[in-house]
Amino acid sequence: VDVKVSAQRIGVTNPTSINGYSLEAVHAARLLVETAVVADAARHLSNEDIRRLEDSIAAQEQAFNDPVRFLICDREFHLTIYYASTNRLLADFVVDLYTYMLDHRRIAMAQPGAIEKSLEDHRFIVRALKMRNPEAVAAAFSEHILRIHDTSLAVDEGGLADTGPAPAQTIPFNAARRK
């Protein structure tokens, strides 16, 4: 069965537009925006959301040897948290960032130990969410996002996740004004 993980349209952008950005740009945006969204979510997550996340962990454990099934569970896990935030626009934007290179992430999740590490991150995130501690949740997500970035880089032997052009040299503000 051919299952497209990214088929459902949620978010604020066209489903393929986020893939036009470099891995580094998306990674930086995730660290900045996603950690703020999940910190807000920590304050507003319902008991039903916590139960749904615990059920998701159990489903992820069952998908231990199936990267596509794991990613479907992973998506539900992340969306449950994002949409507990009080800012729907930022939650939708973070969903767009989450969908970056999703087909590539399926390859990354097939690597030995990748699902286990992601599941460990998810358990840590749920513990922080249960404490309703925004700083702990943001820190747990930051670690998770860093792992996703590192895994994406490690798998990117085929050039699938272009890290983008080298940063442009910056011109000091005063020098730019003199021209």
Side-chain angles (χ1 to χ4, degrees):
V1 173
D2 182 28
V3 178
K4 283 282 190 191
V5 178
S6 60
Q8 187 178 2
R9 168 75 171 88
I10 300 176
V12 292
T13 65
N14 158 330
T16 57
S17 67
I18 198 71
N19 288 338
Y21 293 90
S22 72
L23 174 63
E24 297 309 319
V26 172
H27 174 67
R30 284 190 79 176
L31 283 174
L32 182 67
V33 182
E34 187 168 343
T35 54
V37 167
V38 300
D40 181 56
R43 295 179 192 98
H44 301 98
L45 216 61
S46 70
N47 290 334
E48 175 64 21
D49 292 329
I50 294 290
R51 188 198 56 74
R52 187 178 301 120
L53 293 171
E54 290 172 333
D55 290 348
S56 177
I57 295 288
Q60 291 170 44
E61 290 167 347
Q62 296 298 310
F64 205 72
N65 294 314
D66 186 344
V68 172
R69 186 171 162 204
F70 180 83
L71 281 173
I72 292 168
C73 296
D74 180 76
R75 182 172 192 260
E76 184 65 28
F77 179 85
H78 281 256
L79 267 59
T80 297
I81 298 167
Y82 301 155
Y83 286 120
S85 169
T86 57
N87 189 319
R88 180 62 187 242
L89 174 59
L90 286 179
D92 283 344
F93 178 61
V94 169
V95 170
D96 288 344
L97 296 174
Y98 169 84
T99 65
Y100 180 73
M101 301 291 291
L102 206 51
D103 290 333
H104 183 62
R105 199 169 323 145
R106 180 186 49 77
I107 296 165
M109 293 312 296
Q111 301 305 305
I115 289 176
E116 181 180 27
K117 289 175 184 172
S118 191
L119 187 52
E120 182 180 317
D121 288 349
H122 288 176
R123 288 181 184 123
F124 190 69
I125 289 166
V126 169
R127 283 194 298 274
L129 286 166
K130 283 179 169 181
M131 293 186 303
R132 309 283 193 209
N133 183 329
E135 293 79 17
V137 173
F141 257 89
S142 182
E143 286 297 315
H144 188 52
I145 293 165
L146 288 168
R147 186 181 313 278
I148 292 166
H149 174 263
D150 292 348
T151 304
S152 297
L153 280 178
V155 171
D156 187 37
E157 294 174 1
L160 295 173
D162 179 20
T163 57
Q169 273 200 305
T170 57
I171 300 171
F173 178 71
N174 290 336
R177 289 187 64 190
R178 281 183 256 147
K179 292 185 177 187

